[in-house]
Amino acid sequence: MRVIWRLLTIAPALALGACPPSEPDDPTPAPDDEMTLTVAPLGRCGGAPGDGLQELPEVPFESTAPFEQEVGGVVVADFDGDGLSDVAAGQLDGDVHVFWSDGAGFTETTFELGDHGREFFGASAADADGDGLLDLFVAGPGTAMIWFNGGDRTFGDPLTLPLGDGFAAGGTWADYDGDGDLDLYVIHHRDVESEDRGQPPIQDGAGNSLWRNDDGAFVRVEETSVSETPGTTHHARWEDFDSDGDPDLLVLNDDGDIGNPSELWENLGGGAWSERGQAEFGFLENPMGALVQDLDGDGRRDLWITDVSRTRLFSGLPDWGWVDVGLTLIDPAEHVHGDVTWSLIPVDVDADGTDEVFVSYGGLFTSELPSLLDQPDRLYRATGGVFASDPNGLPALEARNARGAARGDFDGDGRADIAVRNIEGPLTLLRSPCTDGSVLVVHLRDDTTPNRFAIGARVTVGARTRTVEAGGLGTFSGSGPELYFGLGDAASTSVSVAWPDGEEDTFEEVCTNFVVTIRRPQ
């Protein structure tokens, strides 16, 4: 591991505040062949003072999905590279809407799937071709496409992945084979009433699919165990659960009592997998989404999973172990019959160094629960080690039927914002408030491989570690690769990066309240 002291390239526009970065011995920029950490100023805080998330004006998007249709993905990512997060959402009639942020509002562009596909169900953002721009992956019934970013607020003709009759619900990205480029795992979805709703059922052989990136050509990996799930998948994400240097795969399947149970696949390398599954985290009946993060501060990955009438929280143990602590670390009052939870989005609302968790809620379309379709979302805080929803954590929003959610920064102030996709309703946009807490935004750039955004890297700021991911945050949804840290009253901190190839770098005395970009030279 290399420890790099005060190797900083100061952005020209930097306005020094109360805590300027440490001066390097040589103030000239580092050579192109050296690791650099660049700091840039944050924008002015866009929110008002407060303790909870605040509502932003709605963008001109209204979901046209009939109330009985299961659809709800949204993407929040900086597609145009201006430092502000944009929003992408789609309609079941085939239109994709992209809202480009300018810091004060949004400009909309719309493009049609046309002959490329029929419907928009879920989506994610990743640099699929290694050109340093985030591309847009769109999934739906018979639809799986990668729309390549043109760099000028346009997307070129998409690459269409042949799914046959598959009902794709989203995709998550990682370099599972260690060759330096991003591969794609496409989840396929249906539910037991799909035919009654006019949705195409999953056909034989149309289960989840793994697509290997071979120099820009995506090749479906046939006869692999991780593609045997025959659908009904709500969520999947890559994470190096066994800390051996390659990403493993968590697959959450609905109707676990009558369909396929959820799965946890250990990546053994060389295309081999070992199914760990229920032996690791127990039986899951109706999982909708997952958050993998150290929630109890013991340094191990915990697993929070949404479900019907409750959420499940598993505390990480050494060597692949988890113990179900959902009834002790989540206030029992939060487990309400008929409530249905979907996306889990971590966000340090007050920038005190401890993440809150935003949870989207939306009812199921069953005759038993007709009055519970619209349900208020919640913001969970940990008080005394127990998570409970904060009645002041969210604005007084109209209850809606939510599904997907994603995280970004619409105004460039370094405080994470959230977009929520609702069925038969507008997008909900939420902004973090202005507080006295310090923040740090971390971007990684790796010019040594086509994985330019270092998906799969582990970043430690102070005592908190996060994974850079693409498509594993929010049900049916995707967020950008940047990481947000609240740091309380810290004026400076350390930043360590464990790159996907195993190399590690540490920077000391990094000033807070800046955007930090760490770049590996080519």
Side-chain angles (χ1 to χ4, degrees):
M1 179 180 72
R2 292 177 291 181
V3 179
I4 304 174
W5 293 78
R6 296 192 287 270
L7 178 53
L8 302 175
T9 300
I10 310 302
L14 181 63
L16 298 182
C19 172
S22 302
E23 292 293 337
D25 295 334
D26 181 357
T28 60
D32 292 339
D33 60 350
E34 289 188 10
M35 177 80 62
T36 59
L37 183 150
T38 302
V39 296
L42 294 171
R44 182 178 180 180
C45 186
D51 298 324
L53 293 168
Q54 303 166 358
E55 187 174 16
L56 281 164
E58 297 173 349
V59 296
F61 176 88
E62 185 86 13
S63 174
T64 59
F67 76 91
E68 72 276 6
Q69 291 281 6
E70 291 274 6
V71 63
V74 62
V75 177
V76 176
D78 181 11
F79 288 111
D80 56 3
D82 64 355
L84 304 172
S85 297
D86 311 303
V87 183
Q91 301 283 13
L92 282 176
D93 61 9
D95 291 338
V96 178
H97 301 255
V98 181
F99 300 93
W100 307 94
S101 175
D102 61 12
F106 295 87
T107 301
E108 180 184 7
T109 59
T110 302
F111 59 95
E112 298 181 358
L113 301 185
D115 295 336
H116 304 294
R118 299 197 302 272
E119 298 176 350
F120 181 112
F121 189 98
S124 60
D127 182 8
D129 54 2
D131 65 352
L133 299 172
L134 292 175
D135 306 307
L136 177 63
F137 173 74
V138 175
T143 302
M145 298 170 294
I146 304 169
W147 290 81
F148 294 105
N149 193 338
D152 53 357
R153 293 193 170 185
T154 62
F155 292 90
D157 289 337
L159 172 65
T160 300
L161 307 180
L163 292 183
D165 293 319
F167 189 143
T172 181
W173 302 77
D175 180 14
Y176 86 91
D177 54 4
D179 65 353
D181 50 26
L182 288 181
D183 311 297
L184 172 65
Y185 187 74
V186 179
I187 64 171
H188 295 237
H189 175 275
R190 69 163 179 83
D191 62 50
V192 294
E193 299 173 340
S194 61
E195 294 184 64
D196 295 336
R197 300 180 196 163
Q199 297 175 344
I202 288 289
Q203 304 295 321
D204 291 341
N208 295 349
S209 53
L210 178 63
W211 298 81
R212 186 181 64 248
N213 188 343
D214 287 345
D215 296 325
F218 284 82
V219 179
R220 186 165 184 168
V221 182
E222 303 287 355
E223 298 180 356
T224 180
S225 53
V226 297
S227 296
E228 292 177 356
T229 298
T232 325
T233 300
H234 274 136
H235 190 79
R237 64 159 293 153
W238 300 94
E239 180 75 22
D240 185 7
F241 288 104
D242 56 1
S243 301
D244 67 349
D246 53 27
D248 310 299
L249 182 63
L250 173 68
V251 181
L252 299 182
N253 296 318
D254 196 12
D255 301 317
D257 53 342
I258 60 176
N260 269 29
S262 295
E263 302 157 342
L264 181 57
W265 294 98
E266 182 180 9
N267 187 349
L268 303 178
W273 304 87
S274 173
E275 208 279 314
R276 308 295 294 254
Q278 294 182 70
E280 301 301 329
F281 49 71
F283 177 74
L284 301 173
E285 186 171 353
N286 300 110
M288 310 298 191
L291 172 61
V292 181
Q293 191 165 293
D294 179 11
L295 297 167
D296 53 16
D298 64 0
R300 293 189 291 266
R301 296 173 177 88
D302 305 311
L303 185 59
W304 190 335
I305 297 176
T306 51
D307 208 322
V308 177
S309 300
R310 59 177 175 169
T311 64
R312 308 288 299 277
L313 182 55
F314 299 87
S315 180
L317 300 174
D319 301 325
W320 278 89
W322 281 272
V323 58
D324 191 343
V325 294
L327 295 179
T328 57
L329 293 190
I330 298 176
D331 188 332
E334 304 295 341
H335 303 292
V336 179
H337 177 69
D339 279 355
V340 184
T341 50
W342 295 88
S343 295
L344 293 156
I345 305 295
V347 53
D348 190 348
V349 174
D350 47 13
D352 66 349
T354 301
D355 280 344
E356 287 74 44
V357 179
F358 172 85
V359 183
S360 64
Y361 281 73
L364 297 173
F365 310 107
T366 66
S367 58
E368 292 81 9
L369 303 172
S371 63
L372 299 178
L373 294 179
D374 294 334
Q375 302 175 0
D377 301 327
R378 303 179 197 172
L379 183 75
Y380 283 78
R381 295 183 187 271
T383 303
V386 177
F387 285 93
S389 58
D390 179 0
N392 299 316
L394 294 175
L397 299 171
E398 177 185 352
R400 291 167 175 163
N401 192 358
R403 289 296 184 269
R407 180 186 65 188
D409 183 2
F410 303 134
D411 48 19
D413 65 359
R415 294 160 174 83
D417 308 313
I418 294 175
V420 186
R421 174 66 186 271
N422 301 293
I423 296 177
E424 277 202 319
L427 291 170
T428 300
L429 300 184
L430 300 169
R431 177 169 55 195
S432 288
C434 292
T435 69
D436 293 332
S438 298
V439 298
L440 196 74
V441 185
V442 178
H443 297 255
L444 300 184
R445 296 293 182 269
D446 188 354
D447 294 333
T448 67
T449 74
N451 183 10
R452 295 293 185 91
F453 292 91
I455 303 303
R458 296 277 284 171
V459 176
T460 301
V461 173
R464 303 166 67 196
T465 301
R466 301 288 181 264
T467 300
V468 181
E469 55 190 315
L473 189 65
T475 310
F476 311 136
S477 300
S479 300
E482 68 277 0
L483 298 175
Y484 301 88
F485 294 87
L487 295 166
D489 59 1
S492 64
T493 187
S494 62
V495 179
S496 298
V497 181
W499 299 94
D501 63 5
E503 290 287 335
E504 298 184 20
D505 291 297
T506 295
F507 297 82
E508 302 286 354
E509 300 182 21
V510 177
C511 186
T512 58
N513 292 319
F514 288 99
V515 179
V516 168
T517 301
I518 301 174
R519 183 180 297 275
R520 292 176 99 186
Q522 189 168 3

